[in-house]
Amino acid sequence: PLAAPSAPYLLAVSASRLTASWPHLEGLALERYEVQFDNVALPLRTAENFATFSQLAPSSIHEVRLAYVLKDGRKSPFSAPATAT
């Protein structure tokens, strides 16, 4: 089985925007990353190693988890959550 990635790093870039970032996974045939924001059922899919979430309420608390999908279709478990205000 694939290992879960480390939790992403979170940065509040303004009162209403939050950016999640993580290191590239080297040595894997990576298809994409999946970023789960506040336990929404459908994660954001991206080939980048960051995602920005906007139009957030000031001082609100948010949770982000990260998984990755390989080109052969295998998917990692989601990471531990990272939380930011």
Side-chain angles (χ1 to χ4, degrees), residues 3 6 10 17 21-22 32-33 44 50 53 59 65 72-73:
S6 299
L10 299 179
R17 290 180 54 194
S21 65
W22 51 90
R32 68 180 179 271
Y33 296 100
L44 170 72
F50 66 92
F53 304 95
S59 300
R65 295 174 186 260
D72 65 8

Side-chain angles (χ1 to χ4, degrees), residues 11-18 37-38 53-63 84-85:
L11 174 66
V13 292
S14 75
S16 63
R17 290 180 54 194
L18 183 68
F37 183 77
D38 287 346
F53 304 95
S54 57
Q55 298 181 337
L56 306 174
S59 300
S60 56
I61 298 172
H62 300 281
E63 183 178 280
T85 302

Side-chain angles (χ1 to χ4, degrees), residues 5 8 22 30-37 41-48 51 53 64-70 73-79:
W22 51 90
L30 186 70
E31 174 71 26
R32 68 180 179 271
Y33 296 100
E34 294 190 354
V35 186
Q36 187 179 49
F37 183 77
L42 293 175
L44 170 72
R45 296 177 172 192
T46 181
E48 304 296 332
F53 304 95
V64 179
R65 295 174 186 260
L66 176 69
Y68 58 92
V69 178
L70 301 180
R74 291 182 294 155
K75 180 180 172 181
S76 75
F78 277 98
S79 68

